[in-house]
Every structure is written in C-alpha cells, then in structure tokens.
Amino acid sequence: FFNDFDAGEAFDDIFTFTIPQTGTGSGSISTSFSSDLNKIVITDLIINGTAYSLTNSASGQSATVGGIPISAFVLNTIEVKGFAIGSGGYSGTATFTALPVPETTTWAMMAAGLGVLGLAMRRRKVAVSFA
C-alpha cells in the first residue's frame, strides 16, 4: 500500500481487506525525505483499531509490526493519518501467515478415536448407586 501527496495536504487513508483464513499479520511502513521542506509526516498508524508508534529519524519515519491477529472473513483495516510538507509519499507492505489447518487424515483419526471411545463407554456397564 502507498500514497503520494502535494504540499500542505492532510491525509487519512484507510485500506481494508478480508482474508478467508485465520492467522497473523505483519508489515512495515516508511517515509523518506531529503529536507524538512519536502517531507511526509505520519501522525497515526492504526491497524484493526490498535495504534502503533513510528520511529523518527533525520531522513524519515518507519514502523515494523508483527503478530497482529487476523480473523477469517472479517473486515480488517490499516489506517494511515498525517500531512505533507512539500511533496512526497509513504509506502508499506503487509504480509499474512495462515494458522495451520489439520490435514484430512488427522480429522479422520480423531473422529475414529472418538467413535472407539464412545463404543467402549456404551459396552461397559457401570452401576451407580447413591446410598
């Protein structure tokens, strides 16, 4: 994701996405500039309602985040707020790592195990008495 701006322009960019699997997200965002007369200042970075801070340096700003929970089929948002002094832009990357899904054979073995357990409980006669 990215955006470019002209001098004096304020921005509030919202990027939305959904993913068909649950997992975790990570990413980074950065700006760079050559002088204080030509730069982008990011004031807020908000991902799924959580604010993240940026690191400032003499030549720009940056942030790297990770371990952000992403739920399947839920609208996720990345919001970037700030303003331009001169012209410039920011750029970012976002990555997603899906949680492992058990394979079909794993599910089959679990179902068979539960079936055997149920059969064993059904065959065993247990007498319960309250004296």
Side-chain angles (χ1 to χ4, degrees), residues 30 37 45 49 54 62-63 79 99 108 122-123 125:
S30 64
L37 300 175
L45 172 62
L54 282 89
S62 65
E79 185 173 8
L99 292 178
R122 185 178 177 111
R123 290 188 150 200
K125 298 209 186 268

Side-chain angles (χ1 to χ4, degrees), residues 4 12 41 62 83-84 102 109 123 126 129 131:
D4 294 317
D12 183 358
V41 176
S62 65
F83 57 91
M109 287 191 321
R123 290 188 150 200
V126 176
S129 65

Side-chain angles (χ1 to χ4, degrees), residues 1-6 9-16 28-33 38-46 54 59-63 78-84 87-94:
F1 56 96
F2 68 94
N3 207 344
D4 294 317
F5 305 97
D6 292 324
E9 193 174 350
F11 58 90
D12 183 358
D13 295 336
I14 299 175
F15 303 92
T16 60
S28 62
I29 188 168
S30 64
T31 66
S32 62
F33 50 84
N38 197 33
K39 68 179 181 178
I40 298 293
V41 176
I42 296 175
T43 56
D44 298 295
L45 172 62
I46 304 165
L54 282 89
S59 60
Q61 293 177 290
S62 65
I78 300 171
E79 185 173 8
V80 182
K81 296 180 183 182
F83 57 91
S87 62
Y90 67 82
S91 64
T93 61

Side-chain angles (χ1 to χ4, degrees), residues 105-115:
T105 55
T106 304
W107 286 108
M109 287 191 321
M110 183 177 70
L114 289 173

Side-chain angles (χ1 to χ4, degrees), residues 1 17 19 23-28 65-68 70 78 92-98:
F1 56 96
F17 62 95
I19 293 181
T24 58
S26 61
S28 62
V65 296
I68 300 167
I70 305 291
I78 300 171
T93 61
T95 59
F96 175 75
T97 303

